[in-house]
Amino acid sequence: MTALPDFRRSRWASLTALVTTSVLLTACGSSGNGPDTGSGSGSGQAKSGGTLTFTVGSDVGCVDPQQVGSNDTIYSVRQIVDSLTDQDPETGKIVPWLAKSWDINADATSFTFRLRSGVTFSDGSALTAQVVKDNFDAVPKLGALGTLAQGYLSGVESTTVVDPLTVKVTFKEPNAQFLQATSTHSLGIESSASVRRTPQQKCSDGVTGSGPFVLDQYVQNQSITLAKRTGYDWGSSLWSKKGDAYLDKLVFKVVPEAGVRAGGLQSGQVDAISSVGKANEAALRGGQVTLQHRANPGVVFGLGFNHARPVLKDTKVRQAILSAIDRRQIADTVFPTGTQPATSVLAHTTPDYTNLAADLAFDAPRAKSLLDSAGWRTGGDGIRTKDGKRLSLTITWFPNAATNQPALELVQQQLKAVGFDVALKQSQVSQFSTTLQAGDFDVVWGNVTRSDPDILRNSFSTRLANFYRLPSSSLDAALSAQAATTDPAKRGQLVGEAQTLLVRNAYYAPVVELQTQLGLSKKVHNLDFDSGSRIRLHDTWIG
């Protein structure tokens, strides 16, 4: 395995030179070609035409990229919109896309983007600075589903049209994460007509983007169909093909059962599948199928506690949960080969990750001792009680990955062994954001992918959405300060401090890192991962 680069030295060294945020990638998590790691053989002449049929496990119930947070839906809707910038998945460097260049002032409070000329949306309207302003001004109005985009633009003071192709975004305080944020799907640029629609209309009817594909049809919980945008000629500088995409059509079918997805790929009925789990790896390896995988950056899969719940206000109870979880057993039993147990709130592939493995070691005796000291006594059935109440929790989960239920069944068993009575509650994928917003949960299972450590602020700052109902603490200061500093060493120190506070106070229970693993027919070539381990399909062809 290739050693990880030292992000703390290099990550911000070029900020003022405009090359900037960094990410993640080791050889073990690469998307290079070869047996079981890449798409197709890379041989043969690329050709245009054809339909790529891709099965995913879930549908979030929304086809607006600015409001979608589930990977299964991001795979499709990402192809509809372009972003101001792109991020190289190998180096983390921010490179041109819709913006041909940009300037950042010394304290990272002002970002000025110069747009490419000649870019149009699929409705024929032109990309201008005013359109970018319209997009950014509308983000705060997106509501519950727009929290990622809202977090990226939090603290914005103004978005100003300098001239028809130059736009300036100014923040009230330094905002070092913003340039990387402009490379995400959450800040993908939509036409002004789309921006004027309500968030609900955009979710159900889709949006008009400038991307290489357009939405052709959306049937909720069944399929998303995209058609090639003819005349497209402003792709990311990372893409190899100029002009139109190769493929004529993309069909994303919703197939919840992992075994059915795998069978469809083996039989040749579909060309690619998402979320290949351990149970299907052996059957898919070899033959006419390859497995392609990449580690995801950002907040790891784990248990998000609702700190407003009385039982979870007790730090010792939360710490007992962290100690009772055997992360290695869960990673090895349920998840794809190579998946790593969590060693921090951030995945190890995230810039400024801090290794806190010692604090997350499996230690059932410690968990029991913590519960004893908190006054929870073991009953005859093994479940602890205090003041006549059982130590009961419900973990809410969503079927957007085949690994969720079996992973949580192991968590349930491990927590029961130290005295917890844990129930598992499945909810609809479309209800994820509203469940968090309403606080209608004890514990929620999830993760958030982003190749910048500011995802910690989006997820855990009490000054933002604060879905986990955390109390105000020194964590807020660390999260705000890391977003405001342009000094790489100082930012790394603050991000490390935030991770330590999150783990040692058990504000969140990290469990396992997410490794995205796709199954691909060997007919599929150049299906690549982007920096967030989602897919880009402009250069993909079938043959």
Side-chain angles (χ1 to χ4, degrees):
M1 179 182 290
T2 303
L4 285 169
D6 186 347
F7 290 113
R8 292 190 182 184
R9 280 201 309 269
S10 65
R11 187 172 180 276
W12 293 101
S14 303
L15 176 64
T16 55
L18 316 180
V19 278
T20 170
T21 54
S22 188
V23 53
L24 43 120
L25 196 63
T26 67
C28 296
S30 74
S31 56
N33 293 330
D36 297 334
T37 59
S39 57
S41 63
S43 61
Q45 182 66 40
K47 60 183 181 180
S48 296
T51 297
L52 177 76
T53 303
F54 194 122
T55 57
V56 296
S58 63
D59 173 28
V60 76
C62 182
V63 282
D64 176 16
Q66 293 180 354
Q67 299 184 74
V68 168
S70 173
N71 286 340
D72 277 348
T73 304
I74 293 169
Y75 292 149
S76 56
V77 299
R78 184 50 168 131
Q79 319 308 319
I80 298 171
V81 293
D82 299 321
S83 298
L84 292 179
T85 64
D86 202 358
Q87 186 175 25
D88 190 322
E90 298 289 345
T91 67
K93 180 180 178 181
I94 302 299
V95 300
W97 195 346
L98 292 180
K100 61 183 181 181
S101 62
W102 50 87
D103 295 313
I104 306 171
N105 68 353
D107 64 355
T109 58
S110 176
F111 299 74
T112 301
F113 297 91
R114 288 174 287 277
L115 306 177
R116 297 170 66 161
S117 62
V119 176
T120 61
F121 296 91
S122 57
D123 62 3
S125 61
L127 172 70
T128 64
Q130 183 64 50
V131 175
V132 177
K133 173 178 168 57
D134 291 344
N135 273 260
F136 290 174
D137 286 351
V139 162
K141 306 170 189 175
L142 287 175
L145 296 182
T147 54
L148 283 176
Q150 290 160 3
Y152 300 158
L153 284 167
S154 65
V156 69
E157 185 173 69
S158 64
T159 300
T160 307
V161 174
V162 178
D163 64 43
L165 290 177
T166 307
V167 62
K168 181 179 181 180
V169 184
T170 303
F171 291 87
K172 298 171 185 175
E173 298 178 348
N175 196 351
Q177 62 85 34
F178 180 64
L179 187 61
Q180 192 277 336
T182 65
S183 73
T184 66
H185 71 279
S186 299
L187 293 185
I189 304 301
E190 302 168 0
S191 72
S192 289
S194 289
V195 171
R196 288 192 294 269
R197 298 174 189 164
T198 67
Q200 295 75 22
Q201 288 172 327
K202 295 205 298 176
C203 265
S204 60
D205 302 335
V207 300
T208 300
S210 64
F213 293 90
V214 299
L215 180 64
D216 184 47
Q217 185 181 43
Y218 173 48
V219 182
Q220 189 169 350
N221 295 320
Q222 293 185 36
S223 64
I224 297 174
T225 303
L226 308 181
K228 177 165 67 175
R229 166 89 187 275
T230 57
Y232 182 84
D233 196 27
W234 41 84
S236 163
S237 54
L238 294 175
W239 300 351
S240 59
K241 186 182 187 300
K242 305 302 179 184
D244 295 356
Y246 286 113
L247 294 165
D248 288 335
K249 185 179 286 188
L250 307 172
V251 179
F252 293 82
K253 295 183 177 180
V254 180
V255 180
E257 302 82 5
V260 176
R261 292 198 301 274
L265 181 61
Q266 286 177 295
S267 67
Q269 293 176 298
V270 302
D271 305 302
I273 63 174
S274 71
S275 304
V276 176
K278 183 180 292 289
N280 299 117
E281 285 179 348
L284 289 173
R285 281 199 174 96
Q288 295 305 305
V289 174
T290 60
L291 300 181
Q292 183 166 319
H293 57 85
R294 188 176 189 273
N296 283 45
V299 177
V300 299
F301 267 121
L303 304 177
F305 301 129
N306 184 344
H307 291 256
R309 295 289 201 255
V311 69
L312 292 169
K313 288 182 179 180
D314 190 332
T315 302
K316 289 183 178 179
V317 171
R318 301 193 308 271
Q319 290 172 332
I321 292 173
L322 266 65
S323 293
I325 296 173
D326 186 343
R327 293 163 182 81
R328 171 58 68 184
Q329 181 191 37
I330 294 169
D332 290 350
T333 303
V334 175
F335 288 86
T337 300
T339 297
Q340 297 298 308
T343 50
S344 178
V345 179
L346 292 175
H348 78 279
T349 49
T350 316
D352 294 323
Y353 149 85
T354 296
N355 189 333
L356 297 168
D359 294 282
L360 294 172
F362 171 51
D363 190 343
R366 179 175 184 268
K368 293 177 181 178
S369 176
L370 283 164
L371 292 173
D372 287 340
S373 65
W376 292 95
R377 300 291 176 252
T378 304
D381 60 355
I383 302 302
R384 292 175 180 261
T385 61
K386 180 180 179 181
D387 300 329
K389 296 182 179 179
R390 289 166 66 84
L391 185 54
S392 300
L393 293 171
T394 297
I395 301 176
T396 301
W397 65 280
F398 305 84
N400 57 349
T403 50
N404 288 349
Q405 183 172 353
L408 287 173
E409 287 172 347
L410 278 176
V411 169
Q412 183 182 42
Q413 294 170 20
Q414 292 168 1
L415 294 182
K416 183 178 180 180
V418 300
F420 283 90
D421 177 19
V422 176
L424 303 181
K425 176 186 176 183
Q426 179 179 337
S427 189
Q428 296 179 358
V429 176
S430 60
Q431 295 300 308
F432 181 77
S433 294
T434 53
T435 297
L436 289 180
Q437 187 178 47
D440 186 22
F441 64 94
D442 293 336
V443 183
V444 67
W445 172 258
N447 80 301
V448 189
T449 293
R450 189 189 175 191
S451 45
D452 189 282
D454 193 61
I455 195 60
L456 293 177
R457 184 172 63 96
N458 291 120
S459 299
F460 301 109
S461 173
T462 68
R463 300 169 187 175
L464 296 177
N466 195 17
F467 289 134
Y468 301 122
R469 276 63 178 174
L470 284 159
S472 297
S473 69
S474 57
L475 175 63
D476 289 315
L479 293 173
S480 296
Q482 64 80 29
T485 182
T486 58
D487 178 81
K490 181 63 175 175
R491 192 173 193 233
Q493 176 187 338
L494 290 163
V495 171
E497 178 184 331
Q499 291 169 79
T500 301
L501 288 169
L502 281 159
V503 169
R504 293 186 179 168
N505 290 289
Y507 290 137
Y508 183 82
V511 176
V512 66
E513 295 187 0
L514 171 63
Q515 177 175 272
T516 294
Q517 182 162 241
L518 309 177
L520 305 176
S521 163
K522 289 191 175 179
K523 298 185 300 181
V524 177
H525 303 264
N526 296 344
L527 189 154
D528 297 317
F529 287 118
D530 65 14
S531 63
S533 297
R534 281 78 177 237
I535 57 175
R536 47 191 185 195
L537 297 173
H538 177 269
D539 292 347
T540 304
W541 57 280
I542 293 180

